[in-house]
Amino acid sequence: METVAVFLVTGVAAGVLAGLFGVGGGLIIVPALAVILPKLGTAPEVVMQSAIGTSLAVIGLTGISSTRSHHARNGVIWPIFWRLAPGIVIGSLVGAAIAHQVSSDALKKCVGIGALLISIQMLIDATPKASRSTPGAPALALVGSVIGALSALIGIGGGSLTVPYLTACNVDMRRAVGTSAACGMPIAWAGAAGFAYNGLGVPGLAAWSLGYIDLAAFAGIAVTSVLAAPFGTKLAHGISPKLLKRAFAIFLAGVSLRMLLS
């Protein structure tokens, strides 16, 4: 019962973050699952692969809910999305393949470093100045491949990379968040598919697993994350999230340091 409660609370936090910041919630889901999954029977050798694969599967659903909410407020720039999407899919599949080849401990360090860098970015509000226009389709596809690979490797929806890039291209912050939320869908779908495929037949996974995706954890977290995402979107369009963003950055820094030092 305690595990179910942790799944539900994690889902709420992930859903709100997905709508509020366009970050997909993986920054909450992956560290939480890294602690919970060993208690459910996942071997230490594959715990991070399972945490990341499950996180991406959850983000795949959360992204739909979050994107619909942003789209209803005219917050998604679909032409940019379609130019980023092909590269995102390819990059996400590559990221999943790399994660399959490295050790769980190495992945934990990657997630910890990635989370620490993102927390610093959020804490100091390091958003690039709007100094360029949006490039053409080939350049956006290349950018998408980098975002997809890095995001799939640490189990996030890519908002921490996509939002700063779009704002640097003179995209309004709220529409950058909305477009980033939409980009989280192909990142998550392709990444989750890659983790599911690469994890087939791997020993040490929990009984209810599809490759590296823990289906019990996925179901528990997805239920509340999908319901909570529209609330985060409402906050993003109704208030300035600056204080909340900095509070989350401090929390995230603590989580990342714990992962790096454990």
Side-chain angles (χ1 to χ4, degrees):
M1 193 66 184
E2 180 183 349
T3 300
V4 173
V6 171
F7 285 159
L8 297 179
V9 172
T10 300
V12 171
V16 171
L17 290 172
L20 186 57
F21 301 133
V23 297
L27 295 170
I28 290 290
I29 298 171
V30 174
L33 289 180
V35 175
I36 299 169
L37 290 181
K39 300 178 182 179
L40 301 180
T42 302
E45 294 79 11
V46 292
V47 68
M48 287 307 299
Q49 284 87 345
S50 186
I52 293 170
T54 306
S55 171
L56 290 169
V58 172
I59 293 169
L61 288 182
T62 305
I64 296 173
S65 178
S66 178
T67 301
R68 288 183 62 186
S69 299
H70 282 289
H71 174 70
R73 293 170 170 81
N74 194 33
V76 181
I77 306 175
W78 289 108
I80 292 179
F81 166 82
W82 289 115
R83 291 170 187 161
L84 285 167
I88 281 175
V89 170
I90 294 171
S92 298
L93 291 172
V94 170
I98 294 173
H100 174 62
Q101 296 297 327
V102 303
S103 69
S104 181
D105 187 60
L107 271 183
K108 178 186 277 190
K109 301 304 181 189
C110 287
V111 172
I113 292 171
L116 183 60
L117 292 175
I118 291 168
S119 70
I120 293 172
Q121 176 204 52
M122 297 178 76
L123 189 61
I124 66 176
D125 199 19
T127 303
K129 293 183 179 180
S131 58
R132 61 174 73 93
S133 59
T134 307
L140 281 176
L142 180 60
V143 169
S145 66
V146 175
I147 291 173
L150 293 175
S151 300
L153 192 59
I154 61 176
I156 64 173
S160 304
L161 303 171
T162 310
V163 172
Y165 176 75
L166 292 179
T167 53
C169 293
N170 281 291
V171 175
D172 173 74
M173 175 58 80
R174 287 191 173 89
R175 300 194 81 193
V177 170
T179 306
S180 169
C183 289
M185 292 188 295
I187 289 173
W189 296 341
F195 275 91
Y197 174 77
N198 287 303
L200 292 175
V202 172
L205 294 169
W208 292 94
S209 294
L210 176 61
Y212 286 124
I213 300 174
D214 187 299
L215 297 177
F218 164 75
I221 295 173
V223 170
T224 50
S225 67
V226 170
L227 295 175
F231 177 70
T233 304
K234 185 176 180 180
L235 287 177
H237 286 262
I239 64 171
S240 172
K242 192 171 185 179
L243 182 61
L244 182 59
K245 189 174 184 179
R246 289 183 175 174
F248 173 66
I250 294 171
F251 166 76
L252 183 60
V255 171
S256 61
L257 289 174
R258 183 181 185 279
M259 295 190 74
L260 288 170
L261 298 175
S262 65

Coordinates of all heavy atoms in Angstrom, one line a residue, residues 21 49 66 76 82 87 137 152 159 185 197 221:
F21 N 6.2 23.6 -16.4 CA 7.5 23.9 -16.9 C 7.8 23.2 -18.3 O 8.8 23.5 -18.9 CB 8.7 23.5 -16.0 CG 8.6 24.2 -14.6 CD1 8.7 23.4 -13.5 CD2 8.3 25.5 -14.5 CE1 8.6 24.0 -12.2 CE2 8.2 26.1 -13.3 CZ 8.4 25.4 -12.1
Q49 N 18.0 1.5 -15.9 CA 17.4 1.3 -17.2 C 15.9 1.2 -17.0 O 15.1 1.8 -17.8 CB 18.0 0.1 -17.9 CG 19.4 0.3 -18.5 CD 20.5 0.0 -17.5 OE1 20.2 -0.1 -16.3 NE2 21.7 -0.2 -18.0
S66 N -0.8 17.2 -21.3 CA -0.2 18.5 -21.2 C -0.3 19.3 -22.5 O -0.7 20.5 -22.6 CB 1.2 18.4 -20.8 OG 1.8 19.7 -20.7
V76 N 1.0 25.9 -28.6 CA 1.9 25.0 -29.3 C 2.1 25.5 -30.7 O 1.2 25.8 -31.5 CB 1.3 23.6 -29.4 CG1 2.3 22.7 -30.1 CG2 1.0 23.1 -28.0
W82 N 6.8 19.9 -35.9 CA 6.9 18.9 -37.0 C 8.3 18.9 -37.6 O 8.8 17.9 -38.1 CB 5.9 19.2 -38.1 CG 4.5 18.8 -37.7 CD1 3.4 19.6 -37.5 CD2 4.0 17.5 -37.3 NE1 2.3 18.9 -37.1 CE2 2.7 17.6 -36.9 CE3 4.6 16.2 -37.3 CZ2 1.9 16.5 -36.6 CZ3 3.9 15.1 -36.9 CH2 2.5 15.3 -36.5
G87 N 14.0 14.3 -36.0 CA 15.3 14.2 -35.3 C 15.1 13.7 -33.9 O 15.9 12.9 -33.4
A137 N 14.2 23.4 -41.6 CA 13.9 22.1 -41.2 C 15.1 21.2 -41.0 O 15.2 20.5 -40.0 CB 13.0 21.4 -42.3
A152 N 16.3 10.9 -23.7 CA 16.1 9.5 -23.5 C 17.1 8.9 -22.6 O 16.8 8.0 -21.9 CB 16.1 8.8 -24.9
G159 N 12.1 19.2 -22.0 CA 11.8 20.6 -21.8 C 13.0 21.4 -21.3 O 13.1 22.6 -21.7
M185 N 6.3 14.3 -26.4 CA 5.6 13.0 -26.8 C 6.5 12.2 -27.7 O 6.6 11.0 -27.4 CB 4.3 13.4 -27.5 CG 3.2 14.0 -26.6 SD 1.6 14.2 -27.4 CE 2.0 15.4 -28.7
Y197 N 12.1 -2.5 -26.2 CA 12.8 -3.5 -27.1 C 14.1 -4.0 -26.6 O 14.4 -5.2 -26.6 CB 12.9 -2.9 -28.5 CG 13.7 -3.7 -29.5 CD1 13.1 -4.8 -30.1 CD2 15.1 -3.5 -29.7 CE1 13.8 -5.6 -31.0 CE2 15.8 -4.3 -30.6 CZ 15.2 -5.4 -31.2 OH 15.9 -6.2 -32.1
I221 N 1.8 5.5 -11.6 CA 2.3 6.9 -11.8 C 1.4 7.6 -12.8 O 1.1 8.8 -12.7 CB 3.8 7.0 -12.1 CG1 4.6 6.5 -10.9 CG2 4.2 8.4 -12.4 CD1 6.1 6.4 -11.2

